Amino acid sequence: LERSGDRLGAIRLGEQLQQEYPGEPRVENALLNLYRAERRIDKLIALLESRLERNPHDVSAMRELGAHLLSLRRQEQAIAVVQKTIAANPMDELRYRTAAVLFRSHRQIDVAIELYRQGRATIGKQDLFAAELAQLEEARSDYEAAIGEYILLVLDPERRARAQRKIVRLLDRTEDKTPILAQIDELRLRNPRNAAVQDIAATVYLQSGRYQDAERAIEIADRYADDDGQRLLEFGRAALKTNENETADLDRVRAGVDALERLRKAHPRSALVPECSRMMAEGLVTVARRVEEDKERKKLLEKAVESLDASINQDVFRDLQRDALALRAMILFEDLGRKEES
């Protein structure tokens, strides 16, 4: 009947067969397809409810039934449907994920978050659904909660880089950093020799003004990283970075300089040393020119010259040596007034 175009006749026949053979999958599947084609939503819902009543493990039926209910704005019924399926096997991650994705697709973000967190608590895995929760918390502008989820992803090598970028970006939008710092402190205690954990801790501490903690964390990260000082270099770069018209934070600058100096001492043969030395000089000059106190400014400039001297002596590339010499001459001439030496 359906092939001949008589869908209504096919529906009548299907419903008759359903009464004769209740629960027969082939009959139900045919009827569901007919109801979908004819947009018989009420009958579709009723049949899906009947199927789930017999088999609460049918996740596909749960998803489709929930979608129809949400389209009709029957949210409470949709929640009851997914909770019934979850209750049939509460240790199944797929049920929580499917349900959360369903509600998220209908812009019910709060419910989706609750479902993910319910799954995490029930299954007992701390980092379960961390990536999904991080995105959802960020979407609803709960940056503190989003950072907390991204921190959990730091231990995943494949997600670590993105998580760290997200943490740095969202920290500036977070007013109260206390819960985040507490989470970082705990994570460090549980992973004292994990370079990635110590590295992200150093970044968070730096952004939060805990410079001594930041220095200690980046030193530990370097100790276990085996990366020839790459983490120290990136930390120094971040610490020395200042925006235009921004007052220089000398404690932050010192933390950056200390990290770069540690790189030169701990990794004297690293290919990063010349870049490290020039970075120190450029950062110190930029900061020095914003410092009002003459004594402190001169001290920073002298440190810059010293760093450039090290760069010139170590750099094997002539063009890079030339740049370092030019910067050194400019500092001596324009900033320190030592024209003859320049």
Side-chain angles (χ1 to χ4, degrees), residues 100-286:
V101 169
L102 168 65
F103 280 90
R104 180 180 183 178
S105 68
H106 286 78
R107 299 182 180 181
Q108 302 289 328
I109 291 179
D110 290 348
V111 179
I113 288 174
E114 289 175 9
L115 285 165
Y116 279 130
R117 294 201 181 281
Q118 176 188 347
R120 174 184 289 178
T122 302
I123 296 171
K125 293 172 62 176
Q126 184 185 17
D127 60 347
L128 185 61
F129 307 130
E132 295 85 350
L133 282 166
Q135 292 180 359
L136 290 174
E137 295 290 10
E138 185 177 353
R140 70 175 183 178
S141 300
D142 190 340
Y143 302 125
E144 178 188 313
I147 291 172
E149 298 300 328
Y150 282 121
I151 288 173
L152 295 176
L153 296 175
V154 170
L155 295 174
D156 184 345
E158 294 182 359
R159 295 173 170 177
R160 181 178 300 150
R162 182 175 184 272
Q164 188 158 355
R165 290 194 300 271
K166 283 286 191 178
I167 291 169
V168 171
R169 185 170 64 84
L170 295 178
L171 268 174
D172 291 335
R173 303 182 186 181
T174 306
E175 294 183 4
D176 183 11
K177 296 180 175 60
T178 304
I180 298 167
L181 291 168
Q183 187 177 359
I184 285 289
D185 292 341
E186 181 184 352
L187 190 65
R188 285 186 69 201
L189 288 173
R190 286 191 280 108
N191 301 272
R193 298 186 179 185
N194 187 302
V197 168
Q198 300 296 330
D199 186 28
I200 190 59
T203 300
V204 173
Y205 292 148
L206 181 68
Q207 295 293 95
S208 306
R210 284 173 53 175
Y211 302 128
Q212 290 185 345
D213 289 334
E215 287 191 66
R216 283 194 290 268
I218 200 62
E219 181 180 2
I220 296 172
D222 175 65
R223 186 184 309 159
Y224 296 107
D226 192 25
D227 64 357
D228 283 337
Q230 183 66 49
R231 282 179 166 82
L232 288 169
L233 186 74
E234 296 305 324
F235 178 86
R237 192 195 310 277
L240 290 174
K241 183 180 179 180
T242 56
N243 300 318
E244 289 187 21
N245 303 320
E246 184 179 78
T247 303
D249 185 336
L250 295 182
D251 289 332
R252 181 186 176 104
V253 172
R254 290 190 187 95
V257 171
D258 288 347
L260 295 173
E261 283 186 325
R262 185 171 291 112
L263 190 160
R264 293 198 302 185
K265 293 178 181 178
H267 307 278
R269 297 182 181 180
S270 171
L272 301 173
V273 170
E275 181 184 359
C276 166
S277 299
R278 286 194 304 277
M279 186 188 298
M280 278 182 63
E282 291 169 357
L284 287 166
V285 170
T286 300

Side-chain angles (χ1 to χ4, degrees), residues 56-59 62 82 85-99 115 118-120 122-123 128-129:
H57 298 285
D58 191 336
V59 177
M62 175 203 75
V82 301
T85 301
I86 287 171
N89 185 0
M91 300 304 289
D92 181 6
E93 293 181 20
L94 177 63
R95 301 179 190 225
Y96 299 99
R97 193 183 304 278
T98 303
L115 285 165
Q118 176 188 347
R120 174 184 289 178
T122 302
I123 296 171
L128 185 61
F129 307 130

